[in-house]
């Protein structure tokens, strides 16, 4: 049991399992809010906690604002026991011990009045608050650095709210539309703007990979194989050869693949996918539209395991394309398959002559790649892109006779 949970007076709280499996836990006060004495340090910490005016806050952020961890833990315990907030706990660590993750305020205005006798400290600067935020998802690791670099006129509190919501969305493995995420993060379906999307993209966050998409996710595949679904139904080779779109969760539950393929090719974009489908080679083709989401990863990993063949990945000859190819290769490696980039060896001269200039998102992605260790073909491509200052779309890697 969590040390913090064990410190609570069982007579003053209720603990209720959450979720289908009941692994999460909601701790709610047994009674209404009751005033209690606060020290000056506690009063000032309460003011800092309530400053964002959000009724639901991540505990790691609140805890980071206290000078002493013990002060924060003890204050949270007393606030719960006296009826001022609820707490959601989730299993963490190797031993899956439930620890506080979310704090939900029940009566923010009365609590602020209770702490109003002490003069609050100067408000914590938004950048300092942002630096104290530690996302649970590795996908968001570079977000704090991007925000602290500074963008005049941008409300940092809003971006912190979006980042925290996206972290919670990814951690909960949610999938949904942009409007659904906007409502989840900001309370309204159209509040999440193009400027927000651009900011996340420059910071290296791909919404599709995070489970936020403009349309229902589909995985397109083609190949001379027959697939047996979990419910016993069969997708015959005659149907798959021409290309088929399926929900990722259907493919993630596939039981068996009948037939043999020389390789699995992961192809970015519809035009190249359709061109390769028309060639009818003994390959299993998977289409990838942007960086892979969690649902795509699970489905592709299952197909890789069933195919038990080498994986070849082709994406745009661009910084974002390299990052996407690495993502797909990571899924192949997880499935125990060897993988390599395919047709992504482009010289700087060809990039400069036939490509388009790098944009802000490309330059941010290239800077991140140059700090990483890449497979040799992709490392050379990154160097050539940096030298040329240009990129090529994936269609340019497959010239047609008319070209």
């Amino acid at each position: 049991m969590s040390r913090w949970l064990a410190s609570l007076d069982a007579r003053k709280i209720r603990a209720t399992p959450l979720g289908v499996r009941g692994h999460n836990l909601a701790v709610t006060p047994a009674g209404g809010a009751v005033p209690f004495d606060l020290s000056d340090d506690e009063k000032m910490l309460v003011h800092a906690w309530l400053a964002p005016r959000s009724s639901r806050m991540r505990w790691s952020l609140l805890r980071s604002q206290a000078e002493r961890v013990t002060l924060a833990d003890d204050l949270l315990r007393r606030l719960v026991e006296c009826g001022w907030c609820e707490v959601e706990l989730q299993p963490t660590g190797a031993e899956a011990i439930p620890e506080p993750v979310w704090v939900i305020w029940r009566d923010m205005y009365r609590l602020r009045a209770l702490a109003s006798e002490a003069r609050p400290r100067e408000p914590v600067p938004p950048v300092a608050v942002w630096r104290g935020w530690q996302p649970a998802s590795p996908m968001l690791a570079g977000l704090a650095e991007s925000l602290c670099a500074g963008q005049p006129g941008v409300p940092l509190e809003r971006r912190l709210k979006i980042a925290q919501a996206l972290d919670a969305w990814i951690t909960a493995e949610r999938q949904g539309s942009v409007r659904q995420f906007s409502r989840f993060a900001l309370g309204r379906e159209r509040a999440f703007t193009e400027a927000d999307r651009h900011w996340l993209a420059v910071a290296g966050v791909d919404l599709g990979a995070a489970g936020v998409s403009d349309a229902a996710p589909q995985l397109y595949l083609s190949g001379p194989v027959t697939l047996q679904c979990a419910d016993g139904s069969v997708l015959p080779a005659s149907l798959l050869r021409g290309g088929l779109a399926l929900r990722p969760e259907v493919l993630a539950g596939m039981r068996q693949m009948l037939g043999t393929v020389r390789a699995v090719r992961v192809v970015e974009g519809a035009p190249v996918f359709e061109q390769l489908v028309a060639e009818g080679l003994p390959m299993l083709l998977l289409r990838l539209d942007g960086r892979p989401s969690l649902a795509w990863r699970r489905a592709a990993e299952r197909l890789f395991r069933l195919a038990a063949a080498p994986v070849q990945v082709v994406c745009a000859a661009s910084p974002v394309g390299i990052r996407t190819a690495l993502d797909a290769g990571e899924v192949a490696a997880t499935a125990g398959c060897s993988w390599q980039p395919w047709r992504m060896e482009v010289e700087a001269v060809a990039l400069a002559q036939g490509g388009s200039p790098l944009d802000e998102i490309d330059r941010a992605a290239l800077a991140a790649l140059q700090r990483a260790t890449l497979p040799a073909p992709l490392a050379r491509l990154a160097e050539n892109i940096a030298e040329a200052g240009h990129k090529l779309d994936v269609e340019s890697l497959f010239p047609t006779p008319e070209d």
Side-chain angles (χ1 to χ4, degrees), residues 6 26 33 56 72 139 162 184 229 316 323 332 339 345 354 366 374 378:
R56 180 182 172 89
M139 192 182 298
I162 292 173
F184 177 83
C229 304
R323 182 65 263 178
W339 80 279
E345 298 178 356
L366 183 59
L374 305 176
L378 296 182

Side-chain angles (χ1 to χ4, degrees), residues 364-387:
L366 183 59
L369 290 171
Q370 290 173 328
R371 295 192 296 267
T373 301
L374 305 176
L378 296 182
R380 286 193 296 272
L381 177 58
E383 291 174 0
N384 292 340
I385 290 172
E387 178 183 341

